[in-house]
């Protein structure tokens, strides 16, 4: 009679894994949500020049409720907009088809409204400005407001406006984004 036995080292690992999974169960009891936004971005204070709103902004986020009406969001996004890099002899190389990618940690506070929710948010993250020839990465900040219009308990239409302040690029760009999309709560 052959019995399948787990090696002692594997048994300890399996018990540790089960304990870690059990310890993480309270996090699953929180309200979580996932969202996707599409919209446009506009360069503001930058040597790339001010521009008009251009389509090409996409953002994904995952949010976890920390306290009632307070959420922590992890957000990644991409904007297609004008970018500028300094030239060696002075001045700037401006690329009208540049991209700015970002990953942020954001704290959001929501207010209940008759139509749904309004939220104020702020956070910090990493920003990468890219053209075909060059790229630069540095930190930046984001702040803004959003509104959720619930369709049912799980789905809602999300509308968001944000201001992105990127710190150390030379020139120091600022962007405004406007987006709308879908929020899925679970």
């Amino acid at each position: 009679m052959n019995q399948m036995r787990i090696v002692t080292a594997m048994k300890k690992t399996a018990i540790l894994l089960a304990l870690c999974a059990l310890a993480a169960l309270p996090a699953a009891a929180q309200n979580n949500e996932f969202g996707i936004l599409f919209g446009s971005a506009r360069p503001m204070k930058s040597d790339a020049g001010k521009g008009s709103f251009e389509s090409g902004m996409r953002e994904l986020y995952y949010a976890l409720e920390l306290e009632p009406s307070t959420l922590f969001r992890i957000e990644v996004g991409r904007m297609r907009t004008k970018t500028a890099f300094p030239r060696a002899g002075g001045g700037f190389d401006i690329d009208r088809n540049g991209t700015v990618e970002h990953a942020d940690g954001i704290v959001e506070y929501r207010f209940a409204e008759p139509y749904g929710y309004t939220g104020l948010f702020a956070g910090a993250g990493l920003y990468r400005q890219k053209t075909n020839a060059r790229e630069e990465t540095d930190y930046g900040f984001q702040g803004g407001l959003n509104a959720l219009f619930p369709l049912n308990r799980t789905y809602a239409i999300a509308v968001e406006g944000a201001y992105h302040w990127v710190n150390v690029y030379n020139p120091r760009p600022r962007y405004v984004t406007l987006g709308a999309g879908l929020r899925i709560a679970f």
Side-chain angles (χ1 to χ4, degrees):
M1 178 153 90
N2 285 337
Q3 278 188 326
M4 186 172 183
R5 293 189 177 163
I6 296 177
V7 179
T8 306
M10 291 179 70
K11 184 186 279 185
K12 289 179 184 176
T13 304
I15 290 171
L16 181 62
L17 186 60
L19 286 174
C20 287
L22 187 63
L25 279 178
Q30 302 293 326
N31 291 331
N32 299 316
E33 63 183 54
F34 172 79
I36 184 166
L37 299 170
F38 298 98
S40 58
R42 177 180 181 198
M44 297 297 284
K45 183 181 176 186
S46 168
D47 286 326
K50 292 183 179 179
S52 60
F53 281 101
E54 300 172 13
S55 63
M57 186 273 294
R58 296 183 302 262
E59 291 181 346
L60 294 169
Y61 71 86
Y62 172 77
L64 174 68
E65 188 175 43
L66 300 175
E67 294 180 358
S69 300
T70 305
L71 289 94
F72 176 72
R73 283 188 348 199
I74 296 173
E75 181 177 286
V76 295
R78 182 179 193 165
M79 300 178 260
R80 297 195 69 142
T81 186
K82 288 196 295 187
T83 57
F85 284 103
R87 280 190 218 137
F92 297 98
D93 289 326
I94 297 172
D95 184 0
R96 297 193 179 282
N97 297 317
T99 60
V100 176
E101 299 170 341
H102 62 94
D104 299 290
I106 298 171
V107 175
E108 178 180 346
Y109 186 76
R110 288 193 180 153
F111 304 94
E113 303 283 353
Y115 58 80
Y117 299 95
T118 301
L120 297 173
F121 61 88
L126 292 174
Y127 286 76
R128 180 186 311 160
Q129 179 175 287
K130 293 189 343 182
T131 64
N132 290 334
R134 296 174 64 182
E135 74 176 55
E136 240 179 71
T137 301
D138 215 328
Y139 69 94
F141 302 97
Q142 178 182 167
L145 56 97
N146 60 21
L148 293 173
F149 304 98
L151 301 173
N152 59 29
R153 187 178 173 136
T154 304
Y155 299 102
I157 302 295
V159 179
E160 179 178 294
Y163 186 78
H164 300 263
W165 180 76
V166 184
N167 186 44
V168 183
Y169 294 149
N170 186 16
R172 294 181 178 181
R174 314 290 189 263
Y175 300 99
V176 171
T177 58
L178 296 174
L182 182 67
R183 185 236 30 199
I184 303 168
F186 50 94

